[in-house]
Amino acid sequence: LAEMKSLNREVKFKVNNNKGRAAAPTANSNMDSSDIPEYEYFVAPGPRGYPPLTVDMKHHHEDTNRTSHKTHLYNLDSLVVRRGQEFEVNIKFNRPYKPDEDKFAVEFVIGSSPEYSKGTYMPVFAVKERQTAWAGRITETSENTVTMAVTPDPGCIVGKYHMYVAIVTPYGIRRTKREKSRDLYILFNPWAADDDVFLNDESERQECVMNEMGIIYHGSYDDIAERTWNFGQFNVGILDACLYILDRSQMPITSRGDVVKVVRQASAMLNSRDDDGVLVGNWSGDYTYGVAPTSWTGSTDILLSYQNTRSPVCYAQCWVYAAVFNTFLRCLGIPARVVTNYFSAHDNNGNLKTDIILDETGRIDRGRTKDSIWNYHCWNECYMARKDLPAGFGGWQVVDSTPQETSDGMYRCGPASVNAIKHGQMCYPYDAPFVFAEVNSDVVFYMRGKEGTMEPVKVNRSHVGRAVYTKTPGELTRKDITDQYKFPEDSTEERTVLEKAVAFGCTREESDPLPADVDLILPSVELAVGQDLELSVEFVNRSEQRRTVEAYVSGSVVYYTGVTSAEFLFTTPRVTLEPGQSEYNQVAQLCKGLVLIMDQANLNFIVTGKVKETGQIVTAMKVVTLRKPELIVSGEPRVHEEMTATVQFTNPFSFNLKGVYVRMEGPGVMLPSFRYYSLLAPNTPLVWTEKFYPQRAGTTRIIASLDCPALRQIYGEKSITIKP
């Protein structure tokens, strides 16, 4: 045993040792640094001491660097600029600068092993004869002060740099000591034409980079709901938290200028499945050891908690993953938006079919039905050039951090070209087949015989990917972008795309069973939590003969992922219809107490049946999303003065609400805060007033949420204008 322990220690030592494999460890942390030498002597050592100069980084909010680089909203003391665009620093020497005699360079260093060849050490010179990838020029001299303009390479590494000033003396090179005041952050630049994230649309840039507030769409296709989210990408500590995510992933510093690599790495790191990433997913309904996904109102608390505790944050579901990922992308300067796909397929078999298995009587076999259709699924799109793909496949790319399936051994997805998905180009990286299936799968009903044979009896080719929405730039409305993912149903282009996808190895159901001559229709239902529900199915005989339908009606409490939590209804009506006859059959009459047993208030009704005379299968599906009580938010804005915001809610039920959390925050004006109430009695009002000082002028919103085990997804908001 002792020998085995000794061997294990030896193996571990060998694995972690870089000797013989690399001259130095790979630089993979932006927080680690290695100061470059203070002196580099040409001859015998001469006078010591730091050069007698001071440097003004011109990083204040009113300075031109901040305003011209669109970084004035970052709540940081350090300078924040964007690559590929000129910025200025003032250098004050102890005497007037003499261009013909004095030689100096401004040096930028990132990571623990700075090297010029790797782009982690970049000297910038003022003279044309000694230009590097980072251009430099003197724009102004005034007595002892020199204004130096620096233009970082549009493909340079993104992160936190340290700046030095090096002066050539008769004895050698003397450098300034490292000071925190001379640190600066360099971000991606969607305003620079040579940057891979260049987006040539100012309204899209303002929305997808600068806007701190977003709208996330959820609910169901025919009953779309929305919630406001505070991305908070400019809040205190958020930029450092985003860089920490890349450090935690051990992503090499030298790869952090490549936007494709950055977003792919971050897609894995936003979930904790295999790398202790930011968020722990939980769809169980039990959130005892963390915060319910429905309770979050913004990304700030999540990202700061991850950085401060060095541990994954509990809990998230798809829209939380997408919202926090959106904060990460916008914070680093990558144009990004949250997208919602209604009726999103999660295919277990890697094909273009969502399989629903029926037994010989037409009843759903839940034990063998493994695929699921999410009522909705949120992911992100980010804008970038794809130099690794043929021309035409840049632009918006799908990235998804919700852990669904592995990609190259890790739970991540993308970037996948939206244009490639639309045109069925499944061969281009990354994960295009998975996203293609999410919006293009067919719903195939199979009848399973006693011998285990599977016969397709009905194919619905239009149910999945019914609509794809995102927020309209500059407005509070939704934008339908379905046509960016797929061609119109039954069009020639759509058939060509599906044929191409099959050629790339995607399998789909080629058979097309004849439709039944009996229709089932489930009506749209609007229902509030606490109301009674009556539901009827309409049977319509379109034939010229009598038809008898033996139906199975199932009502289930489902998560928004389509996974069944509990079945509360099962009936087997038998309906006889004369030719052309239509008949309503009441199948559900539910009391108000039932609707409180669910996590996110979704009722899923599925009707299947068999026509006795023809043996044909008939089906209908309907998701009912329950309306929630309202949360009232009020506030009176004051210019540069104390402001109050009030949240009000009254328990409308005849029972106690226990373990109630209320959260409130406002982009740019109010940091996240919360209150806990152990019990809220029936018909009892809850009033919480919070005081704060607005940080800046402009129009924004105060966002609030109320969450407890018996009642989820209660939101409220108020639009306010803070005058300068």
Side-chain angles (χ1 to χ4, degrees), residues 310-493:
R310 304 303 201 251
S311 298
V313 179
C314 303
Y315 292 105
Q317 292 175 3
C318 75
W319 75 90
V320 181
Y321 283 114
V324 177
F325 199 2
N326 215 57
T327 299
F328 173 92
L329 295 167
R330 290 187 183 183
C331 185
L332 294 186
I334 303 169
R337 59 192 187 187
V338 176
V339 167
T340 302
N341 177 37
Y342 284 95
F343 295 133
S344 188
H346 186 182
D347 179 26
N348 254 338
N349 303 319
N351 53 36
L352 293 178
K353 299 184 295 181
T354 299
D355 304 333
I356 298 179
I357 313 302
L358 310 176
D359 62 21
E360 287 187 306
T361 64
R363 180 179 179 179
I364 293 181
D365 187 338
R366 297 192 180 275
R368 290 186 168 86
T369 300
K370 304 298 183 182
D371 292 349
S372 62
I373 301 173
W374 295 27
N375 295 345
Y376 66 92
H377 178 49
C378 298
W379 59 64
N380 301 87
E381 286 182 0
C382 53
Y383 197 90
M384 67 181 73
R386 289 297 300 270
K387 295 178 180 178
D388 57 326
L389 302 182
F393 294 105
W396 291 111
Q397 312 286 314
V398 172
V399 285
D400 191 351
S401 57
T402 302
Q404 298 182 87
E405 303 291 340
T406 58
S407 172
D408 294 335
M410 301 185 73
Y411 282 94
R412 57 184 169 188
C413 179
S417 167
V418 173
N419 205 27
I421 294 164
K422 180 175 182 177
H423 290 87
Q425 297 288 356
M426 301 294 96
C427 59
Y428 296 139
Y430 296 88
D431 309 310
F434 182 79
V435 182
F436 185 87
E438 287 184 298
V439 296
N440 283 294
S441 283
D442 298 332
V443 181
V444 184
F445 292 84
Y446 288 95
M447 181 172 289
R448 187 176 186 274
K450 294 180 180 179
E451 300 81 11
T453 56
M454 304 285 284
E455 178 186 356
V457 291
K458 184 175 180 179
V459 180
N460 188 333
R461 304 195 187 277
S462 62
H463 183 71
V464 169
R466 190 72 63 87
V468 184
Y469 290 114
T470 190
K471 181 180 177 296
T472 303
E475 299 180 16
L476 299 178
T477 58
R478 62 180 180 264
K479 179 181 180 181
D480 189 341
I481 57 172
T482 311
D483 61 347
Q484 297 182 23
Y485 281 84
K486 54 200 298 188
F487 289 100
E489 296 289 343
D490 298 325
S491 65
T492 303
E493 294 88 349

Side-chain angles (χ1 to χ4, degrees), residues 93 95-104 126-129 138 140-141 143 146:
F93 297 97
R95 62 167 175 78
Y97 169 66
K98 300 177 182 179
D100 297 333
E101 300 177 12
D102 299 329
K103 297 179 180 179
F104 74 95
V127 295
K128 294 182 179 180
E129 294 77 15
I138 293 177
E140 185 181 354
T141 58
E143 296 181 350
V146 173

Side-chain angles (χ1 to χ4, degrees), residues 336 372 506 545 612 644:
S372 62
C506 297
Q545 299 176 349
K612 182 178 179 181
T644 61

